[in-house]
Amino acid sequence: MGLLWSKYCFRLYDADWWVRVSSTTKGLSYKVKIEGQLVLDEKPDQTSEEIISPQTFNVTHNGRTYELKIGPVSAFDCTVHVYSDGKLIYRHKDRDFVTLHRTEKAFKKMDKGIAWLETFDTRDPRPFWKVILEVCLIGMAIGTAYALLSNNLEDRFGWEIGRLGFWPAAIIGVCIAMFWPARLRFIR
């Protein structure tokens, strides 16, 4: 699996299958086409633990019900298993699912951090690009203000805060981006 999406094409029971797994801001998106007909389009809201665990979907084609399991085989790759009547009938590239212990531990910590941030009501329902754009604009404004303040203090009073580099501006920008109240958001 690429970092953003993966596509699996295979032939099963004289039908061309196309399975696509892609990243979204809320988890993974799953699409399945059989003979060019879209039979599954799921965009579940997932926790990070669910993203690295095999997901199960039911698909019906030509009167047969198939169970698809899509899950990780490494930190950067997924695979597709297709079951019919409880039997495994196809395994993409003949690979088994794996448990990503280190990634799972990191994701559990991230989920706890996100849950902690949600107690401050900082969950942002906007699309990801709007959040990034707002953070960049705020960061640019803070950086400009910091540069002007640094130059003026050095010229007028001889104080050299410019030696600190860009770190104070970066830290202030990250703090504002994380704890920016919803009522002060200017990109809706």
Side-chain angles (χ1 to χ4, degrees):
M1 174 173 163
L3 292 177
L4 300 176
W5 64 274
S6 292
K7 186 168 59 171
Y8 308 100
C9 300
F10 53 92
R11 194 154 177 80
L12 189 62
Y13 293 127
D14 295 329
D16 291 324
W17 288 61
W18 178 86
V19 179
R20 184 170 192 252
V21 181
S22 59
S23 299
T24 66
T25 56
K26 294 186 178 190
L28 295 176
S29 166
Y30 305 93
K31 286 187 181 184
V32 178
K33 288 183 183 179
I34 303 174
E35 291 296 320
Q37 179 186 3
L38 186 66
V39 293
L40 176 74
D41 188 6
E42 290 278 328
K43 295 176 185 168
D45 191 5
Q46 299 172 311
T47 65
S48 46
E49 268 191 81
E50 291 172 339
I51 290 172
I52 61 171
S53 303
Q55 300 296 309
T56 304
F57 303 100
N58 290 320
V59 174
T60 304
H61 179 69
N62 286 344
R64 294 184 81 166
T65 301
Y66 300 98
E67 186 179 278
L68 272 73
K69 285 192 179 180
I70 302 170
V73 292
S74 72
F76 299 108
D77 200 10
C78 283
T79 193
V80 178
H81 292 186
V82 182
Y83 295 85
S84 179
D85 298 326
K87 294 182 193 175
L88 178 66
I89 58 172
Y90 179 77
R91 196 161 63 168
H92 189 71
K93 292 190 179 178
D94 202 26
R95 298 177 80 181
D96 287 326
F97 299 124
V98 296
T99 304
L100 305 170
H101 296 291
R102 288 184 181 174
T103 308
E104 195 172 293
K105 286 179 186 176
F107 279 177
K108 281 182 184 177
K109 289 178 184 177
M110 284 176 23
D111 283 341
K112 286 179 184 175
I114 289 170
W116 177 75
L117 284 175
E118 285 176 353
T119 61
F120 295 108
D121 194 30
T122 58
R123 179 102 177 163
D124 202 343
R126 299 177 297 170
F128 185 68
W129 68 270
K130 287 185 178 182
V131 175
I132 291 296
L133 179 62
E134 186 174 69
V135 167
C136 288
L137 291 174
I138 291 169
M140 202 165 55
I142 290 171
T144 303
Y146 177 71
L148 291 173
L149 181 66
S150 158
N151 286 340
N152 284 334
L153 287 177
E154 190 174 331
D155 290 344
R156 291 187 183 185
F157 303 109
W159 298 341
E160 294 186 26
I161 63 170
R163 287 186 190 166
L164 297 174
F166 73 98
W167 290 110
I171 291 169
I172 291 169
V174 168
C175 289
I176 286 176
M178 288 180 68
F179 301 108
W180 194 250
R183 65 181 178 276
L184 296 178
R185 294 179 183 144
F186 54 90
I187 297 179
R188 305 235 181 248

